[in-house]
Amino acid sequence: MRPKCLDMPVAVGFALDIARAMECLHSHGIIHRDLKPEKSPRQMMTAEMGTYRWMAPELYSTVTLRQGEKKHYNHKVDAYSFAIVLWELIHNKLPFEGMSNLQAAYAAAFKNTRPSAEDLPEELALIVTSCWKEEPNDRPNFSQIIQMLLQYLSTISPPEPVVPLQITSSENAVLPPESPGTSALMLGRDDSRETKGSFFCFNQCY
């Protein structure tokens, strides 16, 4: 955990960066299945295709699959994990605190237990709770999540100067303007004269 909570625009900005990366993955037919704040030896990925504390309920099962049998899930498992990551970014707390990893997965899957969103602003609570809904098809996709995050950021951040879209000559790829999360990260990098890449924050999430 960090020494203190991030400012809300920065926390939501990081979430926006993550959502954009996930939208890119999904647009190429890739399901992440193990989205969480960091890779740690203490949080090993399970046979259920995810890490218990951040894993979508439909990925957890107490029934042993027969040989050749596969779980039925779709890209919405990543929306659930994103909600838990967003909650953690904002609160600077481990989700399902007081539970073991297995207890957290069981509570989410069979008791529909979720971290409390009562202290969140209404608009942000709506984003979080819609992403971790029990029914996968009721969760928004990442294109919708991005729009909701941008809308929320517009209510808490002063309008920024319009930045022209940058187009790379090599791949003709359009790069979106930086988010508050990326901007804060880059500012910290400049101050400390570090040389890590501009997508360092993504490396902590997948």
Side-chain angles (χ1 to χ4, degrees), residues 44-64:
M44 298 301 291
M45 189 172 179
T46 70
E48 283 83 3
M49 302 300 289
T51 305
Y52 283 131
R53 199 171 292 271
W54 295 268
M55 188 170 68
E58 59 268 28
L59 289 176
Y60 177 74
S61 175
T62 57
V63 178
T64 302

Side-chain angles (χ1 to χ4, degrees), residues 30 62 114:
I30 300 171
T62 57
R114 303 289 187 270

Side-chain angles (χ1 to χ4, degrees), residues 14-32:
F14 279 135
L16 179 59
D17 292 337
I18 297 167
R20 284 170 169 161
M22 295 307 301
E23 181 188 38
C24 180
L25 286 180
H26 287 184
S27 71
H28 289 83
I30 300 171
I31 303 175
H32 193 294

Side-chain angles (χ1 to χ4, degrees), residues 119-163:
D119 59 339
L120 293 177
E122 183 178 355
E123 300 90 341
L124 198 54
L126 178 62
I127 298 173
V128 171
T129 56
S130 65
C131 288
W132 67 31
K133 284 186 176 180
E134 184 175 16
E135 171 54 48
N137 291 327
D138 289 340
R139 301 169 196 158
N141 59 44
F142 276 97
S143 295
Q144 295 169 318
I145 292 170
I146 289 169
Q147 292 307 311
M148 289 189 287
L149 290 172
L150 287 171
Q151 175 60 34
Y152 178 69
L153 275 174
S154 71
T155 67
I156 63 173
S157 302
E160 297 182 358
V162 176
V163 179

